[in-house]
Amino acid sequence: MKQNYTTPITRKTPTAFVFLLDQSGSMSEQTIYDGRRQTKAEALAAATNSLIDELIDRCRRSTGVYDYYHIAVLGYSGRGICNLLATDGFALPSELAARDVPMQTILRERKTPEGEILITSTNNNRWIEPVAAGMTPMYEALSRAYNMVEQWCNSESYRQCYPPTIFNISDGEATDATDDQLRGIANRIKGLATLDGGVQLVNINLVKTAEECSLLFPSSVEELPEERYARLLFDMSSTMPERCTADILRVRPEAKSGPFRAMSYNTTVSDVVSMLNIGTISLWG
């Protein structure tokens, strides 16, 4: 099977994105995002809402909204696995653009080079709500994503398309599986493919602040701390397509070359945004 990752994203050859959001109880911890103190659940919801708006905007043309992407957002918590955009399966940009969605005002605080505090506001659609409840059924969420993406890849309509990308964003470890079980479901996901390449699994480990050393897109396991969970995420994650290398080097200027692993460790929500942009919007080029 070729691994070119070169099929252009068009109406006839769309791609799919699945976002798995940890909504367990630990996401109620406080963090700093956009210069404001808020819970990790609130920050991740805001970042995801902005990304969904951006993806829809990328699909807008003078003649309408075209379905270049198929989008799913699954929340996993003590409440189970919830599809946050559709009752079942993927949501299409044209369908999302036609919805009457509540708006929210996002305040962003920035410090100018002169030391002045600058506050700006933007209005975003509130596609998903912040949740922080109970345990972390990550294995179940990955299994649900596997079933959705397997069906998508096996559809004759999408066999020629750029393969789907799954983003798993969590601030902790799974409470419903062993390390071996997580490696197993990750390998099953990475074994799925279209004729253009294998499905991408991106694992993002979220922390509260930037006080701890963060690492985005490691090129080797030696870059990671000698911690069991860091090595597990490395094993679970895909190798990023070569077409993303230039964008990765912009956020990792100290790195000399790839290939890079599709993961991050000790990541702030701001870094999550960079990861999501590289895995979604950068593919447009």
Side-chain angles (χ1 to χ4, degrees), residues 31 53 63 75-76 92 97 104 111 114-115 121 125 148 154 156 172 206 239-240 245 248 285:
T31 188
D53 281 348
T63 52
Y76 59 97
L92 300 178
Q104 63 179 352
K111 182 179 289 188
E114 294 76 25
S121 66
N125 288 302
M148 293 177 65
N154 289 338
E156 283 301 318
L206 183 64
T239 299
M240 291 293 291
T245 297
I248 293 172

Side-chain angles (χ1 to χ4, degrees), residues 1-3 5 162-164 189-194 196-201 238 241:
M1 180 186 70
K2 71 174 184 176
Q3 295 281 324
Y5 298 99
Y162 190 96
I189 289 171
K190 292 185 289 183
L192 298 173
T194 66
D196 191 48
V199 169
Q200 292 286 293
L201 176 57
S238 299

Side-chain angles (χ1 to χ4, degrees), residues 1-77:
M1 180 186 70
K2 71 174 184 176
Q3 295 281 324
N4 288 342
Y5 298 99
T6 56
T7 298
I9 298 172
T10 69
R11 283 181 288 175
K12 292 184 178 180
T13 55
T15 191
F17 298 121
V18 181
F19 304 94
L20 306 180
L21 307 184
D22 182 351
Q23 296 185 322
S24 64
S26 60
M27 293 293 288
S28 63
E29 294 177 349
Q30 295 285 308
T31 188
I32 301 295
Y33 178 59
D34 274 339
R36 297 188 301 113
R37 181 168 294 279
Q38 54 193 298
T39 67
K40 288 187 285 186
E42 291 169 335
L44 183 56
T48 304
N49 287 332
S50 295
L51 178 66
I52 295 170
D53 281 348
E54 175 69 21
L55 291 175
I56 295 171
D57 285 343
R58 289 271 171 164
C59 295
R60 292 187 189 277
R61 297 293 181 269
S62 59
T63 52
V65 178
Y66 296 158
D67 295 327
Y68 298 122
Y69 310 123
H70 297 181
I71 307 168
V73 182
L74 305 183
Y76 59 97
S77 69

Side-chain angles (χ1 to χ4, degrees), residues 12-276:
K12 292 184 178 180
T13 55
T15 191
F17 298 121
V18 181
F19 304 94
L20 306 180
L21 307 184
D22 182 351
Q23 296 185 322
S24 64
S26 60
M27 293 293 288
S28 63
E29 294 177 349
Q30 295 285 308
T31 188
I32 301 295
Y33 178 59
D34 274 339
R36 297 188 301 113
R37 181 168 294 279
Q38 54 193 298
T39 67
K40 288 187 285 186
E42 291 169 335
L44 183 56
T48 304
N49 287 332
S50 295
L51 178 66
I52 295 170
D53 281 348
E54 175 69 21
L55 291 175
I56 295 171
D57 285 343
R58 289 271 171 164
C59 295
R60 292 187 189 277
R61 297 293 181 269
S62 59
T63 52
V65 178
Y66 296 158
D67 295 327
Y68 298 122
Y69 310 123
H70 297 181
I71 307 168
V73 182
L74 305 183
Y76 59 97
S77 69
R79 301 177 183 179
I81 312 301
C82 300
N83 193 326
L84 303 178
L85 287 183
T87 55
D88 186 33
F90 291 93
L92 300 178
S94 60
E95 298 171 351
L96 295 173
R99 290 187 189 178
D100 184 14
V101 182
M103 300 292 293
Q104 63 179 352
T105 299
I106 304 296
L107 297 178
R108 293 183 169 88
E109 184 175 307
R110 297 285 187 270
K111 182 179 289 188
T112 67
E114 294 76 25
E116 181 183 356
I117 300 300
L118 180 65
I119 298 178
T120 60
S121 66
T122 58
N123 291 322
N124 288 344
N125 288 302
R126 196 178 181 99
W127 299 103
I128 65 171
E129 299 290 338
V131 173
M135 308 298 276
T136 312
M138 184 186 298
Y139 179 87
E140 185 181 355
L142 289 167
S143 297
R144 180 78 65 86
Y146 171 86
N147 291 334
M148 293 177 65
V149 171
E150 179 188 37
Q151 183 177 358
W152 197 94
C153 289
N154 289 338
S155 170
E156 283 301 318
S157 300
Y158 311 128
R159 288 296 294 152
Q160 304 289 336
C161 295
Y162 190 96
T165 305
I166 298 172
F167 299 88
N168 177 37
I169 309 169
S170 175
D171 73 335
E173 300 191 32
T175 57
D176 64 342
T178 65
D179 289 359
D180 285 342
Q181 288 172 322
L182 290 170
R183 286 189 180 91
I185 187 61
N187 287 336
R188 289 178 65 197
I189 289 171
K190 292 185 289 183
L192 298 173
T194 66
L195 295 177
D196 191 48
V199 169
Q200 292 286 293
L201 176 57
V202 184
N203 288 288
I204 301 175
N205 173 238
L206 183 64
V207 294
K208 289 189 293 184
T209 68
E211 293 174 359
E212 301 175 70
C213 180
S214 63
L215 178 61
L216 280 64
F217 301 111
S219 58
S220 68
V221 72
E222 285 74 23
E223 290 188 76
L224 294 166
E226 293 187 8
E227 297 179 9
R228 176 193 59 80
Y229 191 57
R231 303 303 172 96
L232 171 63
L233 291 179
F234 188 90
D235 291 343
M236 291 174 60
S237 303
S238 299
T239 299
M240 291 293 291
E242 186 176 348
R243 67 184 294 173
C244 296
T245 297
D247 292 309
I248 293 172
L249 289 174
R250 276 191 280 274
V251 301
R252 284 206 63 194
E254 80 285 357
K256 295 181 178 179
S257 63
F260 297 100
R261 196 60 65 102
M263 68 161 287
S264 68
Y265 192 68
N266 286 342
T267 311
T268 65
V269 177
S270 295
D271 287 332
V272 169
V273 173
S274 296
M275 296 280 293
L276 294 176

